[in-house]
Amino acid sequence: MVTYNIQYFALLREQRGLDAETVESSAATAEELYAELATRHGFTLPTTALKVAINDDFSKWQAPLSSGDTIVFIPPVAGG
Amino acid sequence: MVTYNIQYFALLREQRGLDAETVESSAATAEELYAELATRHGFTLPTTALKVAINDDFSKWQAPLSSGDTIVFIPPVAGG
Amino acid sequence: MPNPQTFAISGEDLEIENLKQQLLDSHAGALATFEGWVRNHNEGQAVERLEYSSYPALANKEGQRIIEEAFEKFEIDAAIARHRVGMLEIGGIAVWVGVSAAHRGAAFDACRYIIEEVKGRVPIWKKEYYSSGATDWVNCHQET
Amino acid sequence: MPNPQTFAISGEDLEIENLKQQLLDSHAGALATFEGWVRNHNEGQAVERLEYSSYPALANKEGQRIIEEAFEKFEIDAAIARHRVGMLEIGGIAVWVGVSAAHRGAAFDACRYIIEEVKGRVPIWKKEYYSSGATDWVNCHQET
């Protein structure tokens, strides 16, 4: 089990009821981590609708995570 | 011979040294009238570079003129 | 629908904030604008100032037609265009076009249409005054 | 070249005259701008106000990248983009983009590129508050 820092924005923040949390997980990729959190917290957005950022940069869902990484799941953007 | 009112703008005003004049001419079209005035005053622009307005509307060079018409020869525009 | 004030030739400095306010409309979501400023050079020559002149009766009529065409071609809410005449210094605003629309694509398309057509069709002329002391009527180099 | 202030997320009202002044440059002849305002309706629902939020660290980085891309793609002199976050009322300005260039085509193209990319890529979200009392995160309707 490793430690990840998760930040939540927009709809995910609302569904989680938190801005950020630290989780212990055996997930090796962002994709696995989201699946775990979505099940636990009832997130409605599929990964196909999301992007992911690791340590404040866009990343692939399959990129390997390291302990202490900050992960952000990015709901569909709607600026402007 | 009929009477035409001519207004000059931009380069033609400079070459004629007048804003406007009334001329007596036997020209039946704007094209004939311009040829006559260009010869008399040394205008440098060819009709292919000009447009013409009769009574404040764009017109064809071959449109027949009537006595008392106001004719403007329009140098290449350069707004903006 | 365009109103009679949508296009005008102006002998005074353009009051852009004021013009923009006229485009404010709670229905509109997008505003595209274009400003043309006097540049300090043209085709390699140092420009000191510019003089714009127009054939007002036809310029206003043709400008108005262009705005009406923009309303026919694009889904826009409001459009305003102003062209300055008289002597302008470097950095002075020569032309301003603003278009509001529900969607940005139409606002951009109409704004660009209006400025292109104004530059191509409206009887306005530009005389450049160069640092060398020479002057020139822009676009008038063809000889008979 | 773009400077670090070219793109920013702002929690305060955008001061557009001030931003425009930053684009003034005696070399530039053309300024294209885009403003996005809060509309009073969206997809048939009456909107009372909007709340924009962002993921600031990545939003600023991605916004800056977009401006740099615009400099690579188009012959422009300067570009500024600002996006408001927080609660906005109808008619409030959500986003502003301004691009100056020697020629109008590049100014329009770059301005449009920047706003399209900002809307498509920058992590900013919009929550609509309807007259009915309901709220909605725009674009978040897909289900797992």
Side-chain angles (χ1 to χ4, degrees):
Chain A
M1 300 287 271
V2 288
T3 301
Y4 300 124
N5 303 303
I6 322 285
Q7 290 178 23
Y8 294 110
F9 293 100
L11 181 61
L12 291 175
R13 178 179 293 184
E14 215 165 81
Q15 293 183 339
R16 181 63 187 94
L18 283 175
D19 290 7
E21 66 181 333
T22 300
V23 299
E24 302 283 314
S25 170
S26 59
T29 65
E31 191 169 33
E32 288 171 30
L33 182 61
Y34 184 74
E36 190 180 311
L37 294 168
T39 305
R40 195 181 306 163
H41 303 301
F43 297 155
T44 54
L45 287 163
T47 51
T48 50
L50 297 167
K51 291 184 176 176
V52 64
I54 300 174
N55 301 327
D56 295 340
D57 266 318
F58 286 114
S59 175
K60 293 189 195 307
W61 284 99
Q62 286 76 29
L65 297 179
S66 304
S67 186
D69 278 352
T70 295
I71 293 111
V72 179
F73 305 109
I74 301 175
V77 304
Chain B
M1 299 288 272
V2 287
T3 301
Y4 300 124
N5 303 303
I6 321 285
Q7 290 178 22
Y8 295 109
F9 294 100
L11 180 62
L12 290 175
R13 177 178 295 183
E14 216 163 82
Q15 292 183 339
R16 181 64 188 95
L18 283 175
D19 292 5
E21 65 180 335
T22 299
V23 300
E24 301 282 315
S25 169
S26 59
T29 64
E31 191 169 33
E32 288 171 29
L33 182 61
Y34 184 74
E36 190 180 312
L37 295 169
T39 305
R40 194 179 310 161
H41 304 301
F43 297 154
T44 55
L45 287 162
T47 52
T48 51
L50 297 168
K51 291 184 175 176
V52 65
I54 301 173
N55 301 328
D56 295 340
D57 266 316
F58 286 114
S59 175
K60 292 190 195 306
W61 283 99
Q62 287 75 29
L65 297 180
S66 304
S67 186
D69 279 351
T70 295
I71 293 112
V72 179
F73 304 109
I74 300 175
V77 304
Chain C
M1 288 298 294
N3 70 52
Q5 291 304 308
T6 50
F7 181 89
I9 300 289
S10 170
E12 319 230 310
D13 283 349
L14 306 182
E15 296 188 357
I16 289 171
E17 273 310 297
N18 189 294
L19 297 172
K20 244 179 58 178
Q21 280 306 314
Q22 295 178 42
L23 294 173
L24 266 164
D25 174 324
S26 62
H27 292 282
L31 171 69
T33 76
F34 178 81
E35 277 179 45
W37 302 331
V38 177
R39 286 191 285 168
N40 63 357
H41 62 281
N42 187 25
E43 293 176 7
Q45 291 207 71
V47 175
E48 293 263 302
R49 55 190 195 282
L50 280 187
E51 188 176 3
Y52 284 99
S53 59
S54 80
Y55 168 12
L58 189 49
N60 281 309
K61 214 184 277 187
E62 191 70 0
Q64 189 61 32
R65 266 193 286 259
I66 289 167
I67 303 271
E68 284 163 14
E69 290 164 13
F71 273 84
E72 284 158 22
K73 287 172 189 289
F74 308 105
E75 285 281 323
I76 60 177
D77 284 352
I80 290 176
R82 293 285 184 275
H83 202 299
R84 184 78 158 74
V85 291
M87 197 67 86
L88 286 173
E89 304 294 321
I90 303 302
I93 296 176
V95 59
W96 190 85
V97 179
V99 177
S100 63
H103 299 287
R104 67 185 179 282
F108 273 117
D109 288 341
C111 186
R112 194 160 181 167
Y113 178 80
I114 292 167
I115 185 65
E116 298 285 346
E117 296 298 307
V118 165
K119 284 181 175 247
R121 290 163 49 185
V122 175
I124 295 172
W125 301 279
K126 178 158 66 177
K127 188 178 186 178
E128 293 182 332
Y129 292 74
Y130 305 109
S131 304
S132 64
T135 66
D136 194 20
W137 288 97
V138 176
N139 291 355
C140 288
H141 287 282
Q142 290 167 277
E143 303 284 319
T144 41
Chain D
M1 289 296 296
N3 71 53
Q5 292 302 310
T6 50
F7 181 89
I9 300 289
S10 170
E12 320 228 310
D13 283 349
L14 306 182
E15 296 187 357
I16 288 170
E17 273 310 298
N18 188 295
L19 297 172
K20 245 178 57 178
Q21 281 306 313
Q22 295 178 43
L23 294 174
L24 266 165
D25 175 325
S26 62
H27 292 282
L31 171 69
T33 76
F34 177 82
E35 278 180 42
W37 302 330
V38 177
R39 285 192 285 168
N40 63 358
H41 63 281
N42 188 23
E43 293 176 9
Q45 292 207 71
V47 175
E48 293 263 300
R49 55 190 195 282
L50 280 186
E51 188 177 3
Y52 284 99
S53 57
S54 80
Y55 168 12
L58 188 50
N60 281 309
K61 213 183 277 187
E62 191 69 1
Q64 188 61 33
R65 265 193 286 259
I66 290 166
I67 303 272
E68 284 162 14
E69 289 164 15
F71 272 85
E72 285 158 19
K73 287 173 190 287
F74 310 104
E75 286 281 325
I76 60 177
D77 284 353
I80 290 178
R82 293 285 183 275
H83 202 298
R84 184 79 158 73
V85 291
M87 196 68 85
L88 286 173
E89 305 293 322
I90 303 303
I93 296 176
V95 60
W96 190 85
V97 179
V99 177
S100 63
H103 299 287
R104 67 185 179 282
F108 272 117
D109 287 341
C111 186
R112 195 159 180 168
Y113 178 80
I114 292 167
I115 184 64
E116 299 286 346
E117 296 296 307
V118 165
K119 285 184 176 246
R121 288 162 52 185
V122 175
I124 294 171
W125 300 279
K126 177 158 67 174
K127 188 178 184 177
E128 293 183 333
Y129 292 73
Y130 305 109
S131 305
S132 63
T135 66
D136 194 20
W137 289 96
V138 175
N139 290 357
C140 288
H141 287 284
Q142 290 167 277
E143 303 284 319
T144 44

